[in-house]
Amino acid sequence: MRGGAGEALRRKLLKDFDFHTLLRLPTGIFYSQGVKANVLFFDAAPAGERVATEALWVYDLRTNQKFTLRTRPIRRADLDNFVTCYGPKHARHKREETERFRKFTYEELEKRDKVNLDIFWLRDDSATDPDSLPPPDEIAAEIVVNLEEALEKFRSVAAKLGAEPAE
């Protein structure tokens, strides 16, 4: 195995299935900030020697999007543009690239280090523009919630280990 289980899985997905679309979701919408999530769209392909994936369409709903688990959760309307770009089930040949929707050939994917599918092309404004950050009170509230959740988990582990609570 060249690059571990992750690379092997990505190669198998591209070779043995028609892996046609990847939706990059904003970080933090299911768990906490920094946790990445993607939705993979693929179809079964007949067994054979040829690679089943000709091209992968990637929709970036992550870059420059401000969603949070509690204060601004993702809504169905936030996916409208993706649904439009995705198009009818059997009309992938009619898809067109947009600012957030790009096509990558199998050959382009194969050349990526370890067939890494964490593909992005949009400039992340938050990395360079401090004005694009959420207000400090929102950041502080998110930190407090995350710390409280972590503390509860640590208390649970300590209780299972029989530790006495600290005064």
Side-chain angles (χ1 to χ4, degrees), residues 85-143:
C85 289
Y86 187 91
K89 183 177 181 179
H90 298 291
R92 273 186 262 150
H93 63 284
K94 294 181 181 178
R95 287 181 173 176
E96 294 181 14
E97 290 190 349
T98 68
E99 178 186 15
R100 292 201 170 271
F101 198 47
R102 293 275 170 94
K103 179 181 178 179
F104 297 87
T105 65
Y106 174 80
E107 291 74 22
E108 290 172 303
L109 300 170
E110 177 69 16
K111 290 177 187 172
R112 296 177 57 84
D113 183 40
K114 299 180 183 176
V115 194
N116 184 338
L117 298 177
D118 190 17
I119 300 170
F120 52 92
W121 58 92
L122 296 171
R123 182 176 166 266
D124 186 353
D125 295 336
S126 67
T128 57
D129 181 9
D131 292 333
S132 69
L133 294 172
D137 62 325
E138 283 185 29
I139 295 172
E142 192 76 24
I143 290 170

Side-chain angles (χ1 to χ4, degrees), residues 3-165:
E7 180 182 355
L9 180 62
R10 289 185 295 273
R11 287 185 187 281
K12 182 167 184 60
L13 187 60
L14 289 167
K15 182 185 179 301
D16 296 345
F17 297 88
D18 180 9
F19 180 21
H20 53 82
T21 312
L22 184 144
L23 170 60
R24 290 171 43 91
L25 293 174
T27 60
I29 63 166
F30 294 121
Y31 187 60
S32 62
Q33 287 300 324
V35 177
K36 295 178 180 178
N38 297 306
V39 179
L40 312 179
F41 297 82
F42 57 93
D43 296 317
E49 291 299 312
R50 82 171 186 81
V51 173
T53 301
E54 292 179 18
L56 175 65
W57 285 85
V58 179
Y59 188 92
D60 187 347
L61 188 62
R62 182 176 303 155
T63 305
N64 299 322
Q65 298 297 307
K66 307 295 181 230
F67 296 100
T68 62
L69 190 59
R70 289 173 184 78
T71 58
R72 187 167 184 298
I74 195 166
R75 306 263 187 247
R76 168 59 178 86
D78 298 315
L79 296 167
D80 285 348
N81 187 260
F82 167 71
V83 171
T84 299
C85 289
Y86 187 91
K89 183 177 181 179
H90 298 291
R92 273 186 262 150
H93 63 284
K94 294 181 181 178
R95 287 181 173 176
E96 294 181 14
E97 290 190 349
T98 68
E99 178 186 15
R100 292 201 170 271
F101 198 47
R102 293 275 170 94
K103 179 181 178 179
F104 297 87
T105 65
Y106 174 80
E107 291 74 22
E108 290 172 303
L109 300 170
E110 177 69 16
K111 290 177 187 172
R112 296 177 57 84
D113 183 40
K114 299 180 183 176
V115 194
N116 184 338
L117 298 177
D118 190 17
I119 300 170
F120 52 92
W121 58 92
L122 296 171
R123 182 176 166 266
D124 186 353
D125 295 336
S126 67
T128 57
D129 181 9
D131 292 333
S132 69
L133 294 172
D137 62 325
E138 283 185 29
I139 295 172
E142 192 76 24
I143 290 170
V144 168
V145 168
N146 289 337
L147 288 173
E148 288 173 345
E149 288 175 357
L151 185 57
E152 278 305 308
K153 289 177 183 176
F154 281 124
R155 283 188 178 128
S156 173
V157 168
K160 288 178 182 173
L161 295 173
E164 296 292 321

